[in-house]
Amino acid sequence: MTDTQDKTNDMPGHLARRFQQIAVAVFLAEVEQAGFDLTPVQYAALAAIHANPGIDQITLAGLIAYDRTTITGVIDRLVQKGLVLRQASSRDRRARELQITEAGQQTFRAITPAVEAAQQIMLRGLTETEARELVRLLQKAIAAGNELSRAPLRDGTGEPG
Amino acid sequence: MTDTQDKTNDMPGHLARRFQQIAVAVFLAEVEQAGFDLTPVQYAALAAIHANPGIDQITLAGLIAYDRTTITGVIDRLVQKGLVLRQASSRDRRARELQITEAGQQTFRAITPAVEAAQQIMLRGLTETEARELVRLLQKAIAAGNELSRAPLRDGTGEPG
DNA sequence: TGATATTGATCAGTATACTGATCATCAGTA
DNA sequence: TACTGATGATCAGTATACTGATCAATATCA
């Protein structure tokens, strides 16, 4: 039954999917154990809003490489949880300014140790050196492929981040 | 506007998501350019059925590390495209046996060059040595984290693959 | 100024992934 | 054989990601 000819498990694309799958599972498990209910995507958005108060949704999407149609739902859920405030911008009435709430700040601070623990756990099979090398290689591959997805990383100026 | 304090883009979990995002985009672009309409997930399932005719859905899910509730929809779409046949097993009336059709075989053969090209493109920022090292590190990390997701890899015997 | 193009945000629809439940069937045992 | 537990498959519901369309508001330029 074992398929020795199948090359799926050697393909970078398949490995990418599998590693992400494990990363999400580890993240959710650690965060739940710490008593919180937040997805990896929601955490990254919360962190970016924390670091950039008043940011609009498109700029936020660029900072964390989310699709513009995905970010709407993510912010919806953060607002519903009371962690983020969304209000119309006075400078540009098309845009929504995002602020982190007091509860959002508390959650962000309290949850961060669990998030960092998750990063260790998802690399537990690697030595320290290997873990650093994996991060370096992923960053290099991602930088070269940045423009290939619909949701590339952008800094605040429209240039690649 | 650039947030120098934000560590999101150094986190393995975030890099995992981003790399997978690029991998899927590259795969879909190459496959579409070759004149086909198949997702990475559908391709992996098709390849596994090709290599293991008559396999049931649970075993298939284990071979490519898919969730059992996800595989139902994936097979639905492959059947609808006429690439796969799903029929009740005579040995176990709970199970569905999967077969690749003639059209499925043709598609699988014709699409494989595009799939392999996609693997090169998603690693275009890396040297050959770096690409091999990335694959090795991903495999090692995934092997160590295999049991941490709901959809671990399994060979045909229930042992980790 | 007025027409055009662009931009921020959202929506409808599709495809993974997951949680947890249900149903039919099968296997093992008292 | 009847009971119990395990297993294959599916379903309802939620959360990313994406394609492509739409709408309001802004920017640009003839």
Side-chain angles (χ1 to χ4, degrees):
Chain A
M1 178 58 71
T2 304
D3 48 335
T4 50
Q5 295 176 323
D6 181 51
K7 293 184 287 183
T8 300
N9 291 308
D10 293 329
M11 288 190 178
H14 191 78
L15 298 174
R17 174 191 151 279
R18 185 78 188 101
F19 184 55
Q20 211 255 335
Q21 197 175 33
I22 291 169
V24 171
V26 168
F27 183 102
L28 292 176
E30 286 301 300
V31 162
E32 186 192 3
Q33 195 186 318
F36 294 96
D37 172 31
L38 213 64
T39 68
V41 165
Q42 288 165 19
Y43 174 80
L46 189 64
I49 296 169
H50 173 81
N52 302 276
I55 195 173
D56 67 288
Q57 293 185 188
I58 291 282
T59 310
L60 169 63
L63 284 181
I64 50 185
Y66 287 11
D67 189 89
R68 69 183 191 282
T69 62
T70 299
I71 202 93
T72 299
V74 175
I75 301 300
D76 279 351
R77 290 179 277 278
L78 287 174
V79 167
Q80 214 213 325
K81 289 176 180 175
L83 307 179
V84 162
L85 216 65
R86 171 165 46 187
Q87 51 199 139
S89 165
S90 51
R91 286 173 287 112
D92 185 340
R93 274 183 297 169
R94 291 170 303 184
R96 311 303 180 88
E97 281 179 1
L98 304 174
Q99 304 281 350
I100 190 168
T101 65
E102 186 57 42
Q105 305 231 17
Q106 285 176 24
T107 294
F108 177 66
R109 275 194 292 269
I111 206 178
T112 294
V115 171
E116 288 175 353
Q119 310 305 308
Q120 302 295 318
I121 294 171
M122 69 184 69
L123 298 180
R124 68 182 186 182
L126 305 183
T127 66
E128 284 250 336
T129 303
E130 286 175 329
R132 271 195 302 274
E133 181 68 357
L134 177 59
V135 167
R136 183 184 80 81
L137 293 174
L138 284 174
Q139 285 174 331
K140 195 175 176 188
I142 290 165
N146 189 48
E147 300 304 319
L148 300 179
S149 82
R150 175 163 136 161
L153 195 71
R154 303 267 182 232
D155 67 12
T157 68
E159 299 298 312
Chain B
M1 179 57 71
T2 304
D3 46 336
T4 49
Q5 296 177 323
D6 180 52
K7 292 183 286 181
T8 300
N9 291 309
D10 293 330
M11 287 189 181
H14 191 78
L15 299 174
R17 175 191 150 279
R18 184 78 187 101
F19 184 55
Q20 210 255 335
Q21 195 174 34
I22 291 169
V24 171
V26 168
F27 183 103
L28 292 176
E30 286 301 302
V31 163
E32 186 192 3
Q33 195 187 318
F36 294 96
D37 172 31
L38 212 63
T39 67
V41 164
Q42 288 164 19
Y43 174 80
L46 189 64
I49 296 169
H50 173 81
N52 301 275
I55 194 173
D56 68 288
Q57 294 186 187
I58 291 282
T59 309
L60 170 62
L63 284 180
I64 49 184
Y66 288 9
D67 190 89
R68 69 184 190 281
T69 61
T70 299
I71 203 94
T72 299
V74 174
I75 302 299
D76 279 350
R77 289 179 277 278
L78 287 175
V79 168
Q80 213 213 327
K81 289 174 180 176
L83 307 180
V84 163
L85 215 64
R86 171 165 48 187
Q87 49 199 141
S89 164
S90 51
R91 286 173 287 111
D92 184 341
R93 273 184 299 166
R94 291 169 304 184
R96 312 302 181 89
E97 281 180 1
L98 304 174
Q99 303 281 350
I100 190 167
T101 66
E102 186 57 41
Q105 305 230 19
Q106 284 176 23
T107 294
F108 177 66
R109 275 194 292 270
I111 206 178
T112 294
V115 171
E116 287 176 354
Q119 310 305 307
Q120 302 294 320
I121 295 171
M122 68 184 69
L123 297 180
R124 68 181 186 183
L126 305 184
T127 66
E128 283 250 337
T129 303
E130 285 175 330
R132 271 195 302 274
E133 181 68 358
L134 177 59
V135 166
R136 184 184 78 82
L137 293 175
L138 284 174
Q139 285 175 331
K140 194 174 176 187
I142 290 166
N146 189 48
E147 300 304 320
L148 300 178
S149 82
R150 174 163 137 163
L153 194 72
R154 303 268 181 230
D155 66 15
T157 69
E159 298 298 310

